[in-house]
Amino acid sequence: MGKSKKGSQTADPGRSFAATIFGQKAIIWWLPLLYLLISDSFYLRTYDSAQVKITLVQMGGVCLFALWLCRLLDEGKNVFSKNDLVTLAPFMASFAYAVFSYIHAPYKYSSLDFFLRRVFYMTVPLIIIREFHESAVHRLTRILLLTTWITVGYGMLQWFDITFFPPGPGNGPDPFIWRGAFGDRVFSTFGNPNFYADFLVLMFPVVVCQFLKNREMKLIPLIAMLLWTLYSTATKGAWVGFTVSVSLLTSTYFFFFEREQFKRIWKWVAGALLVLVCVVGFKVVDLLNHSRWVSVNFRLFTWEATWEMIMTQPLIGTGIGSFWVIYPAFRRPPIFHIEGKHNTETDHSENEWIEVLFDEGILGFGIFIWLVFSAFFIAYGALSQMTTGLKRGQRAPPRAYDVMGYLVALQGMLAHNAFDVSMRFVSSGVYLGLLSGLVVNLSRGVSLAELHPGAVEGSEPEDEDPGPGLWDQVSTFLIWPARLAAWGGLGYASWKILSEFGDLQGPLFGMRMGGEILQWWIAWACFLLCALSQTFIFARLTYLTRNAALPIVVLLMLWPLRLTWGNFRADVHHNIAIFFSKQKNWDQALKNYLIVGKLNPAFVMSFYFKGNVFNDRFNMAKVYNENWGDHDQAARNDYERALEAYDEVRRNAPNYVQMHHQVGTLYLKRAEYEQGQGRPQEAEKFLDLALERFQLYRKHDPVFFPNYVRIAQIYMARRQYDKVAETYKAYLDADECAMNPKWTENQTLRSTVLAYQNSYDEGGGQWQHRHPDAEAFTQLANAYFFLGNLQASEKAYKDALRVQPDHPTAVRNLQVLYARVQQLGQMKSPPSLTTGAQQGPVPTFEIGVRK
C-alpha cells in the first residue's frame, strides 16, 4: 500500500492489508468466470434468449465494479500514479465520453442499456491493466479456453444433431427445445449463428497461439472443431473476418517470430493466403447466388440511412445507444421488401465503426480510434522488443505468443464488425474491453498494481505512517454498524433474489422434456454459484476491512443490483404476457404487461404490446381494474388505456415499429364508435386524428398496404373518391421505392443486388418497381367508377384480374361496370366473366369502342 496507506488503516494494518489482497483475489477469479458464464449461458424462459447474458453483464458488472471500488478504497490514497493515468487514458476517455454522450442522448431510458454495457466494457480493461498479474492472466486464458471447449463442443453436438436427425424437439441428441431454430446453421450457446461465429473468429488466434506457446496437442481437436462449426454457421461476414484474422496471424507470426525463414518461403505463404481468400470468396459468392443477396442489400441500405443520420449531428453524435430510436425516421423503403415484415425494428447499423460515429460523433469516434490503435501500437512495440535478435531455432518468450494471440483476436473482431453488429450484443461485445485490456497488460509485462507497494500479495507497504486520519477515527466508530447493515442487506437481497428466481423457474415436477429438466438444474446451479459466491465475497470483504466506506459501497451496490435483476424478471413476464395474449386471455396478459412496466420502464416493447391488447379488445365500457393499469380509483375504457400505453412508447421511442399505424387504428375505431353513438362531429374529429397518424406512418413505411387501405377507408367515408384513387395509385406506383433507372435497366443488378423487389418492363427497356396487388387494383377501379371514369375503372379491374385471375370482387364489379356501360348504350351485351381456374383470358373489350 505504501504511500496509499498514509493515514488510512492504523488500528490493525494486517487485517486491512488482508482486505486489499482478498479484494484483488476475488476480482481476478470473478472476472474470467463471469466471461465464461456470459458466453456459455442461455435461458429459454425469457422473451429474449440472450437476456440472461445481458443480465450477467449488468448484475455481474455491478458486482465487479463494486469489488474494484472496495479494493481501491481499502488501498487508500494515490491508487493511480501519473504514469498509470497515461496508460489508462484511452479507456478512461472512452468511459468519460460515454457519460457525456448519455447525458446528451435524447431518450435516456432507451439509451440506458447501451450505456450500462459501455460502462462494463470500459471497466474491464481498467481492471485488467491495473490488477491482473502474470498468474491471473494465465488463469484468465485457461478459463477462456474452457469457455471455447464448452461452446465448440455444444456446437459440434448441434451440427451432428441437425445433420443426422429429423427436426423437432426431442428427435435428436440435442435435448433443448431450441434445436434447429436456425435450420441447418449452428449457433451453439449464443442463440444466433452470427454471434457464435464472431466468438469463434476472435478465439481462433488465441487458441492457435496457445498451441504455439505450449505445444499442447489437446488443442488440435479444439482448433479442428472450431473451424468446422465456424463453417457450419454459414455466416458470410464471419468467414471474411476469419480470413482477415488468419492473414494477420500468419503475417504477424512470420514477421516477428520467423523473420529469417519468412524471407525464404514468403511466396508459399502468400500463395496459401491467396488460396484461402479465393476459397472464402468463392463460397461467399456462391451463397449470394443462392438467394442470400438480401443480407448485402440490407447492409447497403442501412449504411446509406446511417450516413444521413450521422450528418445530423456529426461533431458530438446523437447520443450513445440512440441508433434504434432514430433510425425508423431514416429507414429506406426497400428494407421492408428485404425483410418481408413491417413490425420489426433495426437495432444497429450492421457496422460498428459508423455506429460509433453516429452515436458519439467525430469526438467519440476519435477516442475509439485512439483506444484501438494505441493498443495496436503498444502490442507491436512489445512484440518487436521480445523477438528482436532471435536466432534460428530460438523460441520467443511465452508472453510474446499471448500478445500476438490477443492482438490478432482484437483485430479480427474489429474487421468482422465492419459489416456485422456482433460487438453491439453482449455475447461478443464484452470482448472489446477484455481483448484491448489484455493486449495492453501483456505488452507492458506487469500490472499497474504491482508497481504500488502493498497493493498485491507479497509486497510490503511503506514504513512511514503519520497516524490515523479523521476518516480512520470515524471508521472506528462506524465499522461494526456498517458491517452489520451490509450483512443484513446482503442476506435480504440474496434471499429475495433466490426466492424470486424460484418463482420464475417454476416447479421441477411440472416439466416433461428432458431438455427442460436439464436446463432447470443447470440454471439453479449457475444461479446459486453466482448469488452465494458474491454474497460470501462481499460479506468477507466487509469483515476484513476497517474502512467503513466499504460496507457503505456494498449497501449502495444493492440498489443497482436490484434494478438490473428487475430487468431479467421483466423479460420473463413479457414472455408470459405474450403467451396469454396469443390465447386471448387478456386479464392475465395485461397483468404481466403491468409487471414488466414496473420492473423495467425502458422495455418499450411491453408498452407497445399492452397498447395493442387494449386496441384489439376495444371495450368502451368505463370500469376500474388495477390489473388493467387503472389507478387513483378512476374508471377508464380501453381507448384511454391504449392511448396511455402508446404515449409511454412515444416518450421512449417516438417512431417505434408500427406505433403510428396502431394509434391511427385506435382513432379510427373511436370514430366508428362515435358515429354509432350518433355524434358525427366527434367522429369527424377522430377521423382527422386517424388520418394524420396513417399519413405519418406512410412516411416511415410506404410499403405497408393495410395502411393505404385505412387512409382510403377514411376518404371513401367522406366520398372523396379522387383521394381514394390517389391513395391506391400511390401504393401501386411505388414511387417511394424507385431506384436509379441506370440500376434497374441492368439485368445483372436486377437479378442480384435488386433481387429483393420485383421490377417490370414498361416498354422500351424501362424497368420500374411496382406493387401489383389485385385488391389495390380493385379498390382503385371502384374509386374510378364512383368518379365516373369508366375507362380507367375497366383498366384497373383488368389489371386486378391479370394479377389474380379469380379475384371475386374484381370479377363481380367488372360485370357491374359492363352492365352500367350497357345502360349508357355503349355496348350491346356485356362479355361473360367466370371465376376460378377455368376462367379464360381477360376480355379485350375497351369502353368507348362500340362492338
Side-chain angles (χ1 to χ4, degrees), residues 728-729 732-733 760-762 770-782 784 790-807 809-811 813-814 817-818 833 839 841-846:
Y728 283 112
K729 194 171 186 306
L732 292 163
D733 290 345
Y760 302 90
D761 187 357
E762 299 193 340
R770 296 287 184 253
H771 296 157
D773 183 272
E775 183 63 24
F777 276 122
T778 300
Q779 296 300 331
L780 175 64
N782 292 343
Y784 283 141
L790 301 185
Q791 285 181 311
S793 180
E794 181 197 30
K795 181 180 182 304
Y797 282 133
K798 288 183 176 181
D799 287 336
L801 293 174
R802 288 189 181 95
V803 174
Q804 183 181 338
D806 61 348
H807 193 279
T809 306
V811 172
N813 288 5
L814 186 55
L817 173 67
Y818 285 151
L833 297 174
Q839 179 180 322
V842 178
T844 58
F845 172 80
E846 296 290 342

Side-chain angles (χ1 to χ4, degrees), residues 1-21 69-79 453-454 461-479 483 541-551:
M1 291 178 285
K3 294 180 180 179
S4 62
K5 292 290 293 181
K6 285 184 180 181
S8 55
Q9 334 272 333
T10 58
D12 190 347
R15 173 169 291 180
S16 178
F17 185 68
T20 303
I21 299 305
L69 183 58
C70 286
R71 167 168 159 79
L72 296 179
L73 287 172
D74 194 78
E75 190 175 332
K77 300 178 181 178
N78 304 319
V79 292
E462 291 184 353
D463 295 333
E464 53 181 314
D465 187 356
L470 177 60
W471 177 248
D472 299 301
Q473 298 178 37
V474 172
S475 292
T476 302
F477 294 98
L478 294 181
I479 187 63
R483 282 173 179 165
L541 194 63
T542 55
Y543 172 73
L544 291 174
T545 187
R546 286 192 176 275
N547 188 339
L550 270 66

Side-chain angles (χ1 to χ4, degrees), residues 23 31 35 153 172 190 420 447 479 512 593 660 713 778 803:
L31 190 146
Y35 269 77
F190 285 77
D420 214 328
S447 68
I479 187 63
R512 296 291 180 265
Y593 280 132
H660 293 304
Q713 184 180 350
T778 300
V803 174

